[in-house]
Amino acid sequence: MTFTIDYNVRKNRIEVITNGINEENANDYNEQFAEIMELVKPGFTGITDVRTSKSVLSPEVAALLAPTGEMATAAGVAGWVYIADAPVWIMQMKRLFGNFAVHYKTREEAIAYLDSLTINTIYN
């Protein structure tokens, strides 16, 4: 599979790892994402790791994936991060996510940020 979407119930966190999403599997991604949106509780966090992806998203695929941000917002996302180390991915993810997601170069930094959001959500 070119992507995985996992939901950690205990942390109320979605983790996406992608090796490449294309026009053939973008609808599968959207369907799996929508199913997970039915499981999350408001205040959930998410992480997308694109470091192993062989290529960036085509404009067509980016357009197909755009509704996932709206789904996450409607479900009560508290924060989302993406992990990317290639400049072209960083630029594309910024274009795709805008201010919706924060960029980190390492998983450790990304997890620390998301954990801080979870703690703030619990205590605020």
Side-chain angles (χ1 to χ4, degrees), residues 5-118:
I5 307 174
D6 293 313
Y7 176 54
N8 182 324
V9 175
R10 188 179 63 75
K11 285 193 165 199
N12 197 26
R13 180 170 297 154
I14 297 169
E15 183 164 348
V16 177
I17 299 173
T18 178
N19 296 322
I21 298 176
N22 54 40
E23 288 185 66
E24 290 78 42
N25 63 11
N27 287 331
D28 291 337
Y29 179 90
N30 285 347
E31 288 173 16
Q32 287 183 34
F33 194 87
E35 289 171 8
I36 289 177
M37 288 297 102
E38 297 294 321
L39 303 174
V40 299
K41 296 180 275 314
F44 75 95
T45 58
I47 184 170
T48 300
D49 189 340
V50 298
R51 292 175 296 172
T52 60
S53 187
K54 309 277 187 280
S55 63
V56 295
L57 303 173
S58 70
E60 295 80 13
V61 172
L64 288 170
L65 299 179
T68 60
E70 296 164 9
M71 285 186 239
T73 299
V77 66
W80 201 284
V81 299
Y82 61 94
I83 306 170
D85 47 16
V88 68
W89 260 115
I90 295 167
M91 187 172 46
Q92 184 177 51
M93 297 302 274
K94 181 67 174 169
R95 192 175 315 125
L96 181 65
F97 285 127
N99 293 327
F100 178 79
V102 179
H103 167 252
Y104 287 96
K105 288 189 176 185
T106 69
R107 178 176 172 76
E108 294 75 23
E109 292 172 312
I111 295 296
Y113 172 76
L114 292 177
D115 287 348
S116 76
L117 294 178
T118 303

